[in-house]
PDB file of all heavy atoms in Angstrom:
ATOM      1  N   THR A 788     -66.455   6.778  31.703  1.00 92.00           N
ATOM      2  CA  THR A 788     -65.067   6.370  31.589  1.00 92.00           C
ATOM      3  C   THR A 788     -64.402   6.256  32.956  1.00 92.00           C
ATOM      4  O   THR A 788     -63.172   5.868  33.054  1.00 92.00           O
ATOM      5  CB  THR A 788     -64.286   7.378  30.769  1.00 92.00           C
ATOM      6  OG1 THR A 788     -64.407   8.678  31.365  1.00 92.00           O
ATOM      7  CG2 THR A 788     -64.783   7.424  29.341  1.00 92.00           C
ATOM      8  N   LEU A 789     -65.084   6.517  34.102  1.00 87.00           N
ATOM      9  CA  LEU A 789     -64.441   6.413  35.390  1.00 87.00           C
ATOM     10  C   LEU A 789     -64.233   4.920  35.732  1.00 87.00           C
ATOM     11  O   LEU A 789     -64.870   4.013  35.257  1.00 87.00           O
ATOM     12  CB  LEU A 789     -65.332   7.057  36.439  1.00 87.00           C
ATOM     13  CG  LEU A 789     -65.432   8.614  36.351  1.00 87.00           C
ATOM     14  CD1 LEU A 789     -66.286   9.097  37.511  1.00 87.00           C
ATOM     15  CD2 LEU A 789     -64.050   9.271  36.462  1.00 87.00           C
ATOM     16  N   THR A 790     -63.233   4.700  36.580  1.00 84.00           N
ATOM     17  CA  THR A 790     -62.753   3.325  36.814  1.00 84.00           C
ATOM     18  C   THR A 790     -62.864   2.860  38.244  1.00 84.00           C
ATOM     19  O   THR A 790     -62.238   1.847  38.608  1.00 84.00           O
ATOM     20  CB  THR A 790     -61.350   3.147  36.310  1.00 84.00           C
ATOM     21  OG1 THR A 790     -60.494   4.085  36.987  1.00 84.00           O
ATOM     22  CG2 THR A 790     -61.278   3.356  34.784  1.00 84.00           C
ATOM     23  N   ASN A 791     -63.515   3.632  39.134  1.00 83.00           N
ATOM     24  CA  ASN A 791     -63.538   3.133  40.500  1.00 83.00           C
ATOM     25  C   ASN A 791     -64.863   2.477  40.845  1.00 83.00           C
ATOM     26  O   ASN A 791     -65.311   2.405  41.987  1.00 83.00           O
ATOM     27  CB  ASN A 791     -63.317   4.333  41.499  1.00 83.00           C
ATOM     28  CG  ASN A 791     -64.353   5.427  41.298  1.00 83.00           C
ATOM     29  OD1 ASN A 791     -65.064   5.491  40.326  1.00 83.00           O
ATOM     30  ND2 ASN A 791     -64.427   6.363  42.290  1.00 83.00           N
ATOM     31  N   LEU A 792     -65.502   1.925  39.816  1.00 89.00           N
ATOM     32  CA  LEU A 792     -66.732   1.135  39.996  1.00 89.00           C
ATOM     33  C   LEU A 792     -66.515  -0.230  39.372  1.00 89.00           C
ATOM     34  O   LEU A 792     -65.786  -0.411  38.409  1.00 89.00           O
ATOM     35  CB  LEU A 792     -67.924   1.844  39.285  1.00 89.00           C
ATOM     36  CG  LEU A 792     -68.318   3.210  39.932  1.00 89.00           C
ATOM     37  CD1 LEU A 792     -69.377   3.870  39.070  1.00 89.00           C
ATOM     38  CD2 LEU A 792     -68.884   2.993  41.362  1.00 89.00           C
ATOM     39  N   GLY A 793     -67.234  -1.242  39.903  1.00 90.00           N
ATOM     40  CA  GLY A 793     -67.089  -2.544  39.421  1.00 90.00           C
ATOM     41  C   GLY A 793     -68.364  -3.072  38.721  1.00 90.00           C
ATOM     42  O   GLY A 793     -69.270  -2.277  38.404  1.00 90.00           O
ATOM     43  N   VAL A 794     -68.363  -4.363  38.428  1.00 94.00           N
ATOM     44  CA  VAL A 794     -69.469  -4.999  37.728  1.00 94.00           C
ATOM     45  C   VAL A 794     -69.993  -6.136  38.607  1.00 94.00           C
ATOM     46  O   VAL A 794     -69.250  -7.007  39.111  1.00 94.00           O
ATOM     47  CB  VAL A 794     -68.946  -5.592  36.393  1.00 94.00           C
ATOM     48  CG1 VAL A 794     -69.951  -6.526  35.756  1.00 94.00           C
ATOM     49  CG2 VAL A 794     -68.560  -4.510  35.438  1.00 94.00           C
ATOM     50  N   LYS A 795     -71.291  -6.101  38.851  1.00 95.00           N
ATOM     51  CA  LYS A 795     -71.974  -7.227  39.521  1.00 95.00           C
ATOM     52  C   LYS A 795     -73.027  -7.778  38.546  1.00 95.00           C
ATOM     53  O   LYS A 795     -73.960  -7.069  38.220  1.00 95.00           O
ATOM     54  CB  LYS A 795     -72.596  -6.718  40.842  1.00 95.00           C
ATOM     55  CG  LYS A 795     -71.702  -6.720  42.044  1.00 95.00           C
ATOM     56  CD  LYS A 795     -72.530  -6.562  43.333  1.00 95.00           C
ATOM     57  CE  LYS A 795     -71.627  -6.745  44.541  1.00 95.00           C
ATOM     58  NZ  LYS A 795     -72.458  -6.672  45.774  1.00 95.00           N
ATOM     59  N   PRO A 796     -72.930  -9.060  38.279  1.00 97.00           N
ATOM     60  CA  PRO A 796     -73.890  -9.673  37.349  1.00 97.00           C
ATOM     61  C   PRO A 796     -75.296  -9.844  37.929  1.00 97.00           C
ATOM     62  O   PRO A 796     -75.441 -10.136  39.134  1.00 97.00           O
ATOM     63  CB  PRO A 796     -73.262 -11.018  37.023  1.00 97.00           C
ATOM     64  CG  PRO A 796     -71.904 -10.951  37.498  1.00 97.00           C
ATOM     65  CD  PRO A 796     -71.872  -9.958  38.655  1.00 97.00           C
ATOM     66  N   VAL A 797     -76.286  -9.689  37.119  1.00 97.00           N
ATOM     67  CA  VAL A 797     -77.679 -10.031  37.437  1.00 97.00           C
ATOM     68  C   VAL A 797     -78.143 -11.201  36.589  1.00 97.00           C
ATOM     69  O   VAL A 797     -77.858 -11.206  35.375  1.00 97.00           O
ATOM     70  CB  VAL A 797     -78.566  -8.760  37.232  1.00 97.00           C
ATOM     71  CG1 VAL A 797     -80.022  -9.197  36.984  1.00 97.00           C
ATOM     72  CG2 VAL A 797     -78.512  -7.832  38.469  1.00 97.00           C
ATOM     73  N   ILE A 798     -78.857 -12.149  37.182  1.00 96.00           N
ATOM     74  CA  ILE A 798     -79.464 -13.242  36.399  1.00 96.00           C
ATOM     75  C   ILE A 798     -80.986 -13.140  36.510  1.00 96.00           C
ATOM     76  O   ILE A 798     -81.452 -12.502  37.377  1.00 96.00           O
ATOM     77  CB  ILE A 798     -78.956 -14.617  36.839  1.00 96.00           C
ATOM     78  CG1 ILE A 798     -79.322 -14.864  38.318  1.00 96.00           C
ATOM     79  CG2 ILE A 798     -77.442 -14.778  36.601  1.00 96.00           C
ATOM     80  CD1 ILE A 798     -79.016 -16.290  38.826  1.00 96.00           C
ATOM     81  N   GLU A 799     -81.645 -13.725  35.551  1.00 93.00           N
ATOM     82  CA  GLU A 799     -83.087 -13.754  35.512  1.00 93.00           C
ATOM     83  C   GLU A 799     -83.588 -15.156  35.573  1.00 93.00           C
ATOM     84  O   GLU A 799     -83.240 -16.006  34.700  1.00 93.00           O
ATOM     85  CB  GLU A 799     -83.590 -13.099  34.216  1.00 93.00           C
ATOM     86  CG  GLU A 799     -83.129 -11.620  34.031  1.00 93.00           C
ATOM     87  CD  GLU A 799     -83.362 -11.045  32.680  1.00 93.00           C
ATOM     88  OE1 GLU A 799     -83.731 -11.826  31.744  1.00 93.00           O
ATOM     89  OE2 GLU A 799     -83.143  -9.813  32.516  1.00 93.00           O
ATOM     90  N   VAL A 800     -84.303 -15.517  36.636  1.00 90.00           N
ATOM     91  CA  VAL A 800     -84.643 -16.885  36.949  1.00 90.00           C
ATOM     92  C   VAL A 800     -86.109 -17.119  36.922  1.00 90.00           C
ATOM     93  O   VAL A 800     -86.872 -16.450  37.670  1.00 90.00           O
ATOM     94  CB  VAL A 800     -84.062 -17.316  38.311  1.00 90.00           C
ATOM     95  CG1 VAL A 800     -84.281 -18.817  38.580  1.00 90.00           C
ATOM     96  CG2 VAL A 800     -82.559 -16.969  38.382  1.00 90.00           C
ATOM     97  N   PRO A 801     -86.651 -18.059  36.077  1.00 84.00           N
ATOM     98  CA  PRO A 801     -88.056 -18.470  36.199  1.00 84.00           C
ATOM     99  C   PRO A 801     -88.358 -18.915  37.628  1.00 84.00           C
ATOM    100  O   PRO A 801     -87.599 -19.712  38.228  1.00 84.00           O
ATOM    101  CB  PRO A 801     -88.200 -19.565  35.166  1.00 84.00           C
ATOM    102  CG  PRO A 801     -87.072 -19.401  34.218  1.00 84.00           C
ATOM    103  CD  PRO A 801     -85.913 -18.836  35.094  1.00 84.00           C
ATOM    104  N   LYS A 802     -89.479 -18.477  38.189  1.00 86.00           N
ATOM    105  CA  LYS A 802     -89.783 -18.844  39.562  1.00 86.00           C
ATOM    106  C   LYS A 802     -89.962 -20.305  39.780  1.00 86.00           C
ATOM    107  O   LYS A 802     -89.861 -20.801  40.917  1.00 86.00           O
ATOM    108  CB  LYS A 802     -90.990 -18.013  40.078  1.00 86.00           C
ATOM    109  CG  LYS A 802     -90.617 -16.545  40.193  1.00 86.00           C
ATOM    110  CD  LYS A 802     -91.779 -15.715  40.729  1.00 86.00           C
ATOM    111  CE  LYS A 802     -91.353 -14.253  40.904  1.00 86.00           C
ATOM    112  NZ  LYS A 802     -92.473 -13.413  41.341  1.00 86.00           N
ATOM    113  N   ASN A 803     -90.320 -21.038  38.722  1.00 79.00           N
ATOM    114  CA  ASN A 803     -90.469 -22.508  38.935  1.00 79.00           C
ATOM    115  C   ASN A 803     -89.109 -23.223  39.025  1.00 79.00           C
ATOM    116  O   ASN A 803     -89.022 -24.380  39.273  1.00 79.00           O
ATOM    117  CB  ASN A 803     -91.295 -23.129  37.863  1.00 79.00           C
ATOM    118  CG  ASN A 803     -90.505 -23.350  36.570  1.00 79.00           C
ATOM    119  OD1 ASN A 803     -89.749 -22.525  36.127  1.00 79.00           O
ATOM    120  ND2 ASN A 803     -90.721 -24.486  35.957  1.00 79.00           N
ATOM    121  N   ARG A 804     -88.054 -22.442  38.831  1.00 84.00           N
ATOM    122  CA  ARG A 804     -86.675 -22.980  38.957  1.00 84.00           C
ATOM    123  C   ARG A 804     -86.039 -22.543  40.269  1.00 84.00           C
ATOM    124  O   ARG A 804     -84.829 -22.640  40.438  1.00 84.00           O
ATOM    125  CB  ARG A 804     -85.768 -22.593  37.765  1.00 84.00           C
ATOM    126  CG  ARG A 804     -86.285 -23.111  36.476  1.00 84.00           C
ATOM    127  CD  ARG A 804     -85.251 -22.923  35.367  1.00 84.00           C
ATOM    128  NE  ARG A 804     -84.092 -23.773  35.551  1.00 84.00           N
ATOM    129  CZ  ARG A 804     -82.911 -23.583  34.960  1.00 84.00           C
ATOM    130  NH1 ARG A 804     -82.751 -22.627  34.141  1.00 84.00           N
ATOM    131  NH2 ARG A 804     -81.890 -24.445  35.245  1.00 84.00           N
ATOM    132  N   MET A 805     -86.902 -22.028  41.191  1.00 90.00           N
ATOM    133  CA  MET A 805     -86.423 -21.577  42.506  1.00 90.00           C
ATOM    134  C   MET A 805     -87.145 -22.428  43.548  1.00 90.00           C
ATOM    135  O   MET A 805     -88.357 -22.600  43.465  1.00 90.00           O
ATOM    136  CB  MET A 805     -86.688 -20.108  42.627  1.00 90.00           C
ATOM    137  CG  MET A 805     -86.018 -19.225  41.655  1.00 90.00           C
ATOM    138  SD  MET A 805     -86.518 -17.468  41.736  1.00 90.00           S
ATOM    139  CE  MET A 805     -85.834 -16.997  43.328  1.00 90.00           C
TER     140      MET A 805
END
Side-chain angles (χ1 to χ4, degrees):
T788 59
L789 291 182
T790 58
N791 59 346
L792 294 171
V794 169
K795 273 194 174 184
V797 156
I798 60 175
E799 301 168 351
V800 184
K802 290 182 179 177
N803 81 316
R804 299 191 68 196
M805 301 171 66

